[in-house]
Amino acid sequence: AQSVTQLDSHVSVSEGTPVLLRCNYSSSYSPSLFWYVQHPNKGLQLLLKYTSAATLVKGINGFEAEFKKSETSFHLTKPSAHMSDAAEYFCVVSESTGGFKTIFGAGTRLFVKA
Amino acid sequence: DTAVSQTPKYLVTQMGNDKSIKCEQNLGHDTMYWYKQDSKKFLKIMFSYNNKELIINETVPNRFSPKSPDKAHLNLHINSLELGDSAVYFCASSQVTSGGEQFFGPGTRLTVL
């Protein structure tokens, strides 16, 4: 069975400081892992994905995530936060075969202070 | 060009009514989904269709009936609407061979009064 846990319901950072959004997963299969971002009153946009290639994945807008199998983690980071990064972030796990069944984490709300 | 589109964007209706939400994707994907996002932003998959066939049907009341007339469309019909159906509904699509990456529509905010 798959599950995903986002360890923080909300994270607050100052503009220009690093961002860390934490995600742990469990999966019976070799998982595909994703981070999506949702800005207020908008749909979801893919930030980055891991599908069993390089363990350090670079995404859009300067975000990256590292797949650590031994820790079953896929934390999202960014060296320097921007005001426009304020949004809801979702960690997602998907079966590698077919990708039909996806499980979303509960989300982490990122606040960025000026 | 919009990749995944949904209509309407907002839907306000009375309890007991029947309503439909339409979804279309122009990405040539073979799989489409419906998700429900509640007021706490939690996203839960409701249905998944692959090549017009139902693949996933989570524990959704049978008042909800998805219909896929072709691979590019997945509509959601809801009978006898209840207050608890108020939420944002997202349609998404993906291609099986792409490793599960999904493309989302802008959402339909359903409010049941």
Side-chain angles (χ1 to χ4, degrees):
Chain A
Q2 299 175 104
S3 68
V4 58
T5 302
Q6 292 184 241
L7 297 164
D8 306 293
S9 60
H10 61 273
V11 169
S12 183
V13 301
S14 297
E15 192 173 23
T17 64
V19 176
L20 170 63
L21 305 183
R22 298 182 295 165
C23 173
N24 287 110
Y25 70 92
S26 69
S27 177
S28 304
Y29 303 89
S30 296
S32 293
L33 294 159
F34 308 84
W35 277 98
Y36 286 84
V37 61
Q38 184 180 27
H39 287 93
N41 300 313
K42 298 288 186 185
L44 284 86
Q45 180 185 19
L46 181 71
L47 275 179
L48 48 80
K49 65 179 179 181
Y50 167 78
T51 54
S52 76
T55 56
L56 183 61
V57 181
K58 293 190 184 299
I60 62 171
N61 300 334
F63 285 94
E64 61 182 39
E66 186 170 8
F67 173 71
K68 291 187 176 179
K69 187 174 182 179
S70 60
E71 298 176 12
T72 60
S73 69
F74 191 57
H75 300 335
L76 181 70
T77 60
K78 182 173 180 177
S80 176
H82 191 273
M83 295 296 289
S84 61
D85 294 328
E88 191 87 24
Y89 291 80
F90 294 95
C91 182
V92 179
V93 63
S94 175
E95 293 174 1
S96 61
T97 51
F100 303 131
K101 186 72 179 284
T102 54
I103 305 294
F104 277 73
T108 298
R109 185 66 186 266
L110 176 64
F111 297 92
V112 181
K113 298 175 289 188
Chain B
D1 281 345
T2 303
V4 182
S5 59
Q6 296 178 227
T7 53
K9 189 169 183 179
Y10 299 97
L11 186 51
V12 181
T13 188
Q14 300 285 334
M15 269 177 30
N17 285 351
D18 303 337
K19 290 294 178 186
S20 292
I21 307 172
K22 295 186 176 181
C23 178
E24 176 181 4
Q25 55 96 2
N26 62 6
L27 298 167
H29 288 165
D30 57 9
T31 306
M32 295 185 73
Y33 312 78
W34 276 109
Y35 289 87
K36 179 180 180 181
Q37 185 174 45
D38 63 24
S39 58
K40 294 184 178 178
K41 301 294 185 185
F42 187 68
L43 268 155
K44 186 170 165 53
I45 190 167
M46 301 172 68
F47 301 103
S48 170
Y49 269 73
N50 176 253
N51 287 320
K52 295 169 49 183
E53 289 192 22
L54 182 64
I55 300 296
I56 293 172
N57 182 352
E58 293 296 298
T59 51
V60 177
N62 58 15
R63 297 182 295 103
F64 290 78
S65 53
K67 294 254 184 334
S68 182
D70 54 58
K71 287 198 306 183
H73 296 84
L74 181 62
N75 303 323
L76 184 64
H77 188 76
I78 315 170
N79 290 326
S80 303
L81 277 155
E82 300 177 357
L83 293 176
D85 298 332
S86 296
V88 181
Y89 292 83
F90 285 99
C91 177
S93 72
S94 71
Q95 181 65 24
V96 167
T97 53
S98 72
E101 174 184 350
Q102 296 183 21
F103 291 77
F104 284 80
T108 296
R109 182 175 294 276
L110 171 65
T111 303
V112 182
L113 304 174

